[in-house]
Amino acid sequence: MPENSPRSTLSVTDNRTGRQYELDVLDGNVVRAMDLRQIKVSDGDFGMMAYDPGFTNTAFTTSRVTDVDGGRGVLEYRGYPIEQLAERSTFLEVAYLLLKGELPTQAQLDGFVRGVTFHTYVHENVLTLIKGFRYDAHAMGMMISLVAALSTFYPEAKDVDDADSRAAQINRLVAKMPTLAALTYRHHRGLPYIYPENELSYPANFLNMLFRIGGRDYRPNPVLERALDVLFILHADHEQNCSTTAMRVIGSSRADPFSAMAGAMAALYGPLHGGANEAVLRMLSEIGHTGNIPAFMESVRKGERRLMGFGHRVYKAYDPRASIIKRTAEDVFAVTGRNPLLDVALELEKIALQEEYFVKRHLYPNVDFYSGLIYQAMGFPVELFPVLFAIPRTVGWLAQWEEMVQDPEQRIARPRQVFKGCEPRDYVPVESR
Ligand code: CMC
């Protein structure tokens, strides 16, 4: 952290020994955890550690990719507000921005789009792998396996210190995720696989691979194509969340990016993270209509249920992505017709924004609360929802991985523990226990 001021310090008095310590304060409010280790009661003492389950107050890395100001409800990719990017950019331009740090010139963007488009096909053996899954296999389970399997198709990906190799794997992953996602959907439906159409835009090609039946004249509705692109922009990165941390942790052992990303996807799959969009839709379907809301809310207040799609570790204000998604939903419903569960969602939000339980805990709708309603209206099955999160988040995972691989301060991720188990004891043979 070169920006630190040498005069900014924190004085600590150890009341066990009466000794005083001066710890450097970096970047305004950060102390190095390793500086605590000098605080000891005796020479043989291990030294002080910080205990932080869930990393609630631990900065694991410095980063220049994405900034979230949870108190003000602000999200910026490389300094650009999410609202401006969602309004004026495209997903692939945002991908370039996140991966390379700056918005591209037209020539740079054309080159990047060409590079991604060149890699949209997958090896034919991947189709054999897909055929091994049951017809009802969950799309995320298949995706995680397929991305891990891709590492065996590109063994050179192991060379994570080679910048050219890293760039090639990044292009491959960004390009192939929609193809893999569409294959899982077609497998589930028992439909023939559709190959990528590289003259289409990134979202249009994806929609084509999913929904085209028969001839080659399928063209997605431009409003839905744009809505999907906006949703991809909103999901592209979110700094050090659970799955990105998994990506960085696995990547820190110098695993190839396909293996690391399979781990990140597994983290995303959980219902508290990227699986929440699926959980929200299941919850809204279960509630069914507004008349059932009071009973549901009562179970949330009692702590028996969670209102899925609400709450966030970082946002203590309205998630800016949720506001944009709510507006996008109107555009989509104008084409597809209104999702009847929207009324349930709007009523839940109205109640939650007024009720003490939610207000006191700063629980606002997050990105997943309204996204599922759009996805459902567009014809995506519920089990594809986390996959629709994983496709754009691929860019964030890879931007953060690229940053981590080049960061000289990063070492293998290996936290400490506070051991509370048994004192040393002798093995007892089974007949004597
Ligand atoms: N419904 C009801 N109560 C909640 C909720 C919720 N959705 N979220 C948090 N709380 C309560 C929680 O019970 C706790 O109450 P108390 O202080 O009385 O014990 C308090 O709020 C703090 O919650 P927490 O679980 O300690 O907060 P966290 O920062 O560890 O968890 C969260 C954040 C997102 C996992 C959590 O809010 C949650 O489970 N939300 C529902 C799942 C969800 O929508 N996840 C998507 C997150 S956004 C997309 C992404 O990036 O993954």
Side-chain angles (χ1 to χ4, degrees):
M1 295 185 195
E3 304 92 353
N4 60 327
S5 149
R7 277 176 294 155
S8 184
T9 60
L10 178 74
S11 295
V12 175
T13 304
D14 186 345
N15 294 324
R16 299 169 304 172
T17 60
R19 270 189 227 132
Q20 294 233 327
Y21 301 86
E22 288 236 319
L23 309 184
D24 285 332
V25 176
L26 316 163
D27 295 308
N29 65 344
V30 179
V31 291
R32 278 187 186 276
M34 277 305 282
D35 284 353
L36 299 175
R37 286 278 283 280
Q38 60 186 302
I39 305 174
K40 301 178 175 192
V41 286
S42 66
D43 283 348
D45 185 1
F46 180 80
M48 192 69 77
M49 289 192 290
Y51 176 59
D52 188 13
F55 305 131
T56 50
N57 197 37
T58 296
F60 170 53
T61 184
T62 59
S63 181
R64 292 183 157 75
V65 183
T66 293
D67 191 29
V68 178
D69 182 335
R72 293 191 300 130
V74 172
L75 167 61
E76 291 161 355
Y77 294 161
R78 304 281 189 184
Y80 294 100
I82 192 67
E83 291 80 2
Q84 290 181 23
L85 295 171
E87 174 81 28
R88 301 174 61 185
S89 188
T90 61
F91 172 66
L92 283 185
E93 186 182 56
V94 167
Y96 185 101
L97 171 70
L98 285 165
L99 288 162
K100 306 203 188 265
E102 295 296 337
L103 284 170
T105 62
Q106 189 61 53
Q108 287 168 330
L109 180 60
D110 292 346
F112 180 69
V113 172
R114 229 181 358 260
V116 169
T117 306
F118 187 73
H119 288 288
T120 48
Y121 277 60
V122 291
H123 193 290
E124 288 286 303
N125 288 4
V126 170
L127 305 184
T128 318
L129 288 175
I130 294 200
K131 287 187 181 135
F133 286 103
R134 277 171 50 137
Y135 75 95
D136 59 351
H138 194 286
M140 255 326 241
M142 288 195 265
M143 287 295 286
I144 293 166
S145 313
L146 294 173
V147 169
L150 283 187
S151 74
T152 67
F153 290 86
Y154 306 108
E156 73 276 16
K158 284 190 182 70
D159 194 357
V160 297
D161 293 318
D162 179 336
D164 291 340
S165 169
R166 288 202 305 274
Q169 314 321 324
I170 288 172
N171 275 347
R172 283 182 173 135
L173 275 161
V174 174
K176 293 183 199 311
M177 283 292 282
T179 312
L180 294 177
L183 290 175
T184 66
Y185 171 80
R186 305 285 294 201
H187 172 76
H188 181 60
R189 295 285 152 118
L191 290 166
Y193 306 134
I194 302 285
Y195 286 94
E197 297 272 351
N198 286 338
E199 69 279 7
L200 298 177
S201 73
Y202 191 85
N205 172 48
F206 179 44
L207 290 168
N208 180 58
M209 289 187 291
L210 285 163
F211 297 131
R212 194 178 90 202
I213 306 274
R216 305 192 65 167
D217 52 357
Y218 171 86
R219 284 292 174 271
N221 183 299
V223 174
L224 304 186
E225 178 184 340
R226 176 62 191 158
L228 190 60
D229 212 42
V230 170
L231 284 160
F232 282 175
I233 292 171
L234 299 180
H235 285 87
D237 194 40
H238 212 240
E239 50 117 316
Q240 309 313 315
N241 53 83
C242 177
S243 56
T244 302
T245 302
M247 181 86 194
R248 282 178 172 267
V249 167
I250 300 170
S252 78
S253 75
R254 315 311 264 189
D256 70 82
F258 297 97
S259 304
M261 214 179 94
M265 289 169 73
L268 186 78
Y269 189 12
L272 298 189
H273 191 11
N277 51 18
E278 181 177 348
V280 169
L281 229 282
R282 293 194 194 282
M283 175 190 78
L284 294 176
S285 308
E286 187 193 322
I287 296 172
H289 63 87
T290 49
N292 293 331
I293 290 179
F296 175 82
M297 287 305 235
E298 183 54 26
S299 64
V300 173
R301 265 179 249 112
K302 283 190 191 151
E304 294 164 1
R305 301 284 303 261
R306 282 202 165 202
L307 178 54
M308 300 309 286
F310 262 69
H312 199 275
R313 171 64 60 77
V314 181
Y315 290 120
K316 300 302 165 201
Y318 211 100
D319 183 334
R321 301 169 298 177
S323 316
I324 301 169
I325 289 182
K326 221 170 144 182
R327 287 197 297 276
T328 308
E330 297 302 333
D331 302 338
V332 170
F333 296 158
V335 174
T336 62
R338 206 162 187 269
N339 189 324
L341 291 175
L342 179 66
D343 291 333
V344 178
L346 288 170
E347 185 62 19
L348 280 172
E349 177 184 337
K350 197 170 126 205
I351 296 173
L353 292 182
Q354 293 163 0
E355 279 217 0
E356 200 207 337
Y357 176 94
F358 297 91
V359 174
K360 208 170 82 188
R361 291 171 177 79
H362 306 290
L363 301 173
Y364 294 91
N366 59 48
V367 68
D368 290 318
F369 192 62
Y370 287 104
S371 61
L373 291 169
I374 303 185
Y375 295 147
Q376 194 180 49
M378 286 175 73
F380 295 110
V382 175
E383 62 277 2
L384 213 64
F385 291 5
V387 174
L388 295 168
F389 196 149
I391 292 171
R393 186 54 60 87
T394 296
V395 166
W397 289 326
L398 292 168
Q400 303 266 348
W401 170 75
E402 176 75 14
E403 185 178 64
M404 186 272 305
V405 169
Q406 293 185 66
D407 183 347
E409 289 200 322
Q410 287 298 327
R411 302 161 70 191
I412 187 165
R414 204 302 182 189
R416 296 278 175 179
Q417 65 171 4
V418 180
F419 182 67
K420 299 228 174 187
C422 298
E423 292 294 319
R425 50 186 176 162
D426 290 325
Y427 178 81
V428 180
V430 67
E431 59 278 11
S432 314
R433 281 176 222 159

